[in-house]
Amino acid sequence: MSSDLKFISFNARGLRQAKKRRKLFAYFHRQNTDLVFLQESHSSLADAKYWTNEWGGRILFSHGSTNSRGVCILFNPQLSYKIIKEELDPFGRYIFVDIEVQNRFLTLACIYAPNIDSPTFFVDLSNSLDRFHGETIILAGDLNFVFNLEMDKTGGNPRTNFKAREKCLNLMAAYELLDIWRERNPLSKLFTWSSNVTTGIHCRLDYFLVSRSLEHSVKDVLLLPGMQSDHSFVCLTFVINDIQRGPGYWKLNNSLLNDPNYVCMVNDLIRIELSQCNIHNPASRWEFLKFKIRSLSINYSKKKAHERRCKEKELIDKIADLERRLYTNESPYLRSQLKDVQNELLLYYNYKLEGTIIRSRARWVEEGEKNTKYFLNLEKRNKSLNSIYKLRKISNGSLIFDNESLLSEIRNFFESLYSSEGCTPDPFFSSLPYDNVDFDLSTCEGELSCNECFQALMSMKNDKAPGCDGLSVNFYKTFWDSIGQLVVDSLNYGYQRGHLSNDQTRGLVT
């Protein structure tokens, strides 16, 4: 099933007046807003409990002074969520929070940028964002600059906080964030702030910056008239699909092939199974052996992963202990020990990074330029692309979101695409000469030899899984001397019977 989440971002220009504050709170409740991102709240520590009671749900505060700054995030009391981690700026400029809502992990931020050109502010934001790990990022707030002077500003001098904008664009590129309103309205000139001092000056200063992976889920993003402020409401609604993922298809971790213990265990397994297996059908014997290899590989991988986690914890604890001892007793010996343990932990993190690079399917990584953040974002994006969140129906063009309708539409599409129907032969094919057809057939027909299968295998690129058994080309190359004859026998058995096994004819579309 799918459901909507509605967010509103608003520069309130002060919430100290009780009447104004209550009107805004009532408005947000009437709009069924799940989360509200407020800037310039002008709150203080003494206000927190009273305002929270008025709102009726939880509020995260970053206090400024009673006449400037201050940001807060309001959680609808009806919303089911869990806060995992939070960071509150002591100067009332930003809040970061990791939350779990409707089985999705989100990193949220409420931002009120300085109205001067302050690039260091956005550098600090990027450093803070590094410490949060949601699947999807949503930054909301008043950035106090415009991205495009021609489209986002009218009147006044053609200027903005250019240095701050540049750092913000760097942040957006690093995390693959979109200005979602501009993405949906590329030619529109609408504004979120109007000057109360100089007539005719209008700017779009208020934004939702969202992960690119969320773009397909955004239902609406609107600019609406604000209330007792010179800023507008920015409203974002997106659809969360509660997609229940299955176990997926297992794929061999090719790094296991560099582990002598694993290679030895698989060779022993192959030798024992081939000598003891009573299955006479070569295709079934090969499928059974693959099942045993897969089971061994999964169990071995789990064991190694557990060992690595324990080792990581041991190294982290050892570093913490050495640092505590150095605080009280500076010693070259302890300093040398600390450096050795830190280097050992760094090797572990490099190993994890290699896995991230492989899963992100990045084709290049410049030596010395291992940007972990880039590859993590790429991995998240690839994961999001493996799910279908919405489709447009062929029959009437309407959008569908819920799982049952999506599956039904996909089934109908492919049933229609591959349905059997008569066709008129293309005259081009009837005009082709067939002088050597008997010779061509004789060279293509017949059983396969072990040598020609080996030559075909060696021509394949590494790190590719040839089928849904999850065994990669690397695996077949490593163990060909042990399994090659059985693989060829299973294929020739299919030739003799006139058809291959189900697994040998099945492919994956990703």
Side-chain angles (χ1 to χ4, degrees):
M1 61 178 291
S2 61
S3 57
D4 293 353
L5 278 179
K6 184 173 182 179
F7 296 170
I8 291 180
S9 179
F10 182 52
N11 183 324
R13 294 299 298 272
L15 289 174
R16 302 206 62 77
Q17 295 180 19
K19 189 174 181 181
K20 173 184 176 179
R21 186 173 62 250
R22 290 166 187 164
K23 279 195 295 184
L24 277 170
F25 287 1
Y27 172 82
F28 298 140
H29 281 303
R30 286 198 306 273
Q31 297 298 315
N32 295 316
T33 313
D34 293 295
L35 280 95
V36 182
F37 302 81
L38 294 177
Q39 303 89 48
E40 286 204 84
S41 58
H42 300 178
S43 64
S44 68
L45 185 61
D47 300 317
K49 185 175 181 180
Y50 187 66
W51 291 15
T52 300
N53 290 336
E54 283 186 330
W55 168 246
R58 183 167 182 178
I59 303 178
L60 290 180
F61 290 94
S62 168
H63 303 295
S65 71
T66 55
N67 57 13
S68 67
R69 303 187 315 279
V71 294
C72 53
I73 300 178
L74 284 61
F75 294 82
N76 190 309
Q78 303 302 317
L79 179 67
S80 177
Y81 65 93
K82 177 184 178 183
I83 293 179
I84 299 167
K85 181 180 181 180
E86 61 189 58
E87 182 177 323
L88 312 176
D89 176 45
F91 303 105
R93 288 291 184 185
Y94 61 81
I95 295 172
F96 282 99
V97 59
D98 271 348
I99 72 166
E100 180 185 357
V101 56
Q102 297 184 21
N103 298 318
R104 292 283 293 273
F105 292 90
L106 309 177
T107 293
L108 308 176
C110 183
I111 300 167
Y112 176 52
N115 55 14
I116 59 173
D117 201 357
S118 177
T120 56
F121 174 77
F122 288 94
V123 173
D124 292 340
L125 283 185
S126 184
N127 292 335
S128 292
L129 194 50
D130 276 342
R131 295 189 283 272
F132 289 80
H133 307 291
E135 296 173 359
T136 305
I137 299 171
I138 300 175
L139 309 186
D142 179 356
L143 302 186
N144 263 316
F145 65 74
V146 299
F147 283 112
N148 186 314
L149 285 171
E150 183 178 344
M151 299 297 293
D152 296 328
K153 184 175 182 179
T154 184
N157 296 323
R159 65 186 182 191
T160 190
N161 293 331
F162 290 107
K163 294 178 182 178
R165 182 183 69 174
E166 180 183 358
K167 294 300 181 182
C168 184
L169 288 171
N170 291 343
L171 182 151
M172 292 170 65
Y175 288 96
E176 294 199 317
L177 303 179
L178 299 174
D179 172 5
I180 189 61
W181 186 88
R182 177 56 67 200
E183 200 73 19
R184 292 295 177 88
N185 304 275
L187 302 178
S188 297
K189 291 190 71 170
L190 295 178
F191 311 103
T192 63
W193 172 82
S194 298
S195 174
N196 290 329
V197 178
T198 306
T199 304
I201 299 180
H202 310 279
C203 300
R204 190 169 70 93
L205 304 177
D206 306 273
Y207 303 90
F208 272 107
L209 307 180
V210 306
S211 294
R212 185 177 296 276
S213 60
L214 188 65
E215 181 184 8
H216 53 71
S217 301
V218 173
K219 195 172 181 179
D220 288 310
V221 54
L222 305 172
L223 307 183
L224 300 176
M227 183 186 299
Q228 293 183 251
S229 172
D230 51 5
H231 287 255
S232 301
F233 295 122
V234 186
C235 306
L236 174 74
T237 305
F238 64 97
V239 178
I240 285 189
N241 284 347
D242 186 16
I243 296 177
Q244 300 298 320
R245 286 182 172 271
Y249 283 94
W250 171 81
K251 291 183 181 179
L252 177 73
N253 179 354
N254 283 326
S255 68
L256 292 176
L257 301 175
N258 299 320
D259 185 335
N261 290 332
Y262 171 78
V263 173
C264 182
M265 290 173 66
V266 173
N267 275 322
D268 288 345
L269 174 70
I270 294 170
R271 178 178 51 80
I272 293 170
E273 290 299 329
L274 291 182
S275 64
Q276 296 180 354
C277 183
N278 296 321
I279 302 173
H280 300 293
N281 176 339
S284 299
R285 193 185 312 145
W286 172 229
E287 292 302 323
F288 180 73
L289 179 59
K290 286 195 294 184
F291 165 76
K292 300 289 283 187
I293 292 171
R294 187 162 52 246
S295 298
L296 182 149
S297 302
I298 291 171
N299 291 330
Y300 189 81
S301 295
K302 287 181 178 178
K303 178 185 174 183
K304 296 294 287 186
H306 177 71
E307 290 174 355
R308 286 193 297 270
R309 286 193 298 270
C310 292
K311 185 64 175 177
E312 179 188 17
K313 184 178 185 305
E314 178 187 334
L315 291 172
I316 291 172
D317 291 343
K318 195 169 183 179
I319 289 172
D321 178 62
L322 287 169
E323 287 178 340
R324 282 193 298 269
R325 292 164 64 185
L326 276 167
Y327 293 153
T328 58
N329 180 26
E330 179 64 40
S331 159
Y333 174 71
L334 289 177
R335 183 67 62 184
S336 175
Q337 270 194 313
L338 176 62
K339 186 175 180 180
D340 290 344
V341 178
Q342 288 173 332
N343 287 337
E344 191 176 352
L345 184 61
L346 182 61
L347 288 175
Y348 170 75
Y349 288 145
N350 284 340
Y351 173 82
K352 290 182 69 175
L353 174 61
E354 288 173 8
T356 300
I357 293 170
I358 291 170
R359 290 190 296 274
S360 68
R361 295 180 177 87
R363 296 185 180 275
W364 53 266
V365 53
E366 186 177 344
E367 188 64 32
E369 294 291 333
K370 295 180 179 178
N371 189 333
T372 310
K373 179 168 58 181
Y374 166 79
F375 292 111
L376 286 171
N377 290 331
L378 194 56
E379 184 181 359
K380 290 177 185 177
R381 184 183 68 183
N382 288 337
K383 181 181 177 182
S384 73
L385 293 177
N386 285 335
S387 297
I388 297 174
Y389 297 93
K390 64 180 178 181
L391 285 175
R392 194 174 296 278
K393 295 189 71 170
I394 297 176
S395 57
N396 57 19
S398 62
L399 283 174
I400 53 175
F401 297 94
D402 63 281
N403 290 347
E404 288 188 9
S405 298
L406 288 171
L407 290 171
S408 176
E409 187 67 17
I410 292 169
R411 183 176 61 251
N412 293 339
F413 172 80
F414 282 104
E415 282 180 352
S416 173
L417 181 65
Y418 294 114
S419 60
S420 176
E421 58 183 29
C423 61
T424 304
D426 193 315
F428 169 76
F429 294 106
S430 60
S431 65
L432 294 174
Y434 292 98
D435 297 337
N436 297 320
V437 65
D438 293 333
F439 173 77
D440 292 340
L441 282 172
S442 66
T443 58
C444 294
E445 292 292 329
E447 294 188 0
L448 298 168
S449 71
C450 206
N451 181 59
E452 63 183 325
C453 288
F454 178 71
Q455 294 299 323
L457 173 65
M458 297 308 293
S459 69
M460 296 180 184
K461 294 182 179 179
N462 285 338
D463 302 319
K464 303 290 183 181
C468 50
D469 58 17
L471 299 177
S472 63
V473 170
N474 312 48
F475 176 88
Y476 282 90
K477 289 179 179 179
T478 301
F479 296 103
W480 183 256
D481 289 343
S482 302
I483 63 174
Q485 189 60 57
L486 178 57
V487 172
V488 175
D489 289 346
S490 71
L491 294 172
N492 286 333
Y493 181 77
Y495 171 75
Q496 295 161 8
R497 296 183 63 211
H499 62 84
L500 297 170
S501 68
N502 288 337
D503 278 354
Q504 288 171 333
T505 59
R506 185 179 297 146
L508 296 177
V509 179
T510 61

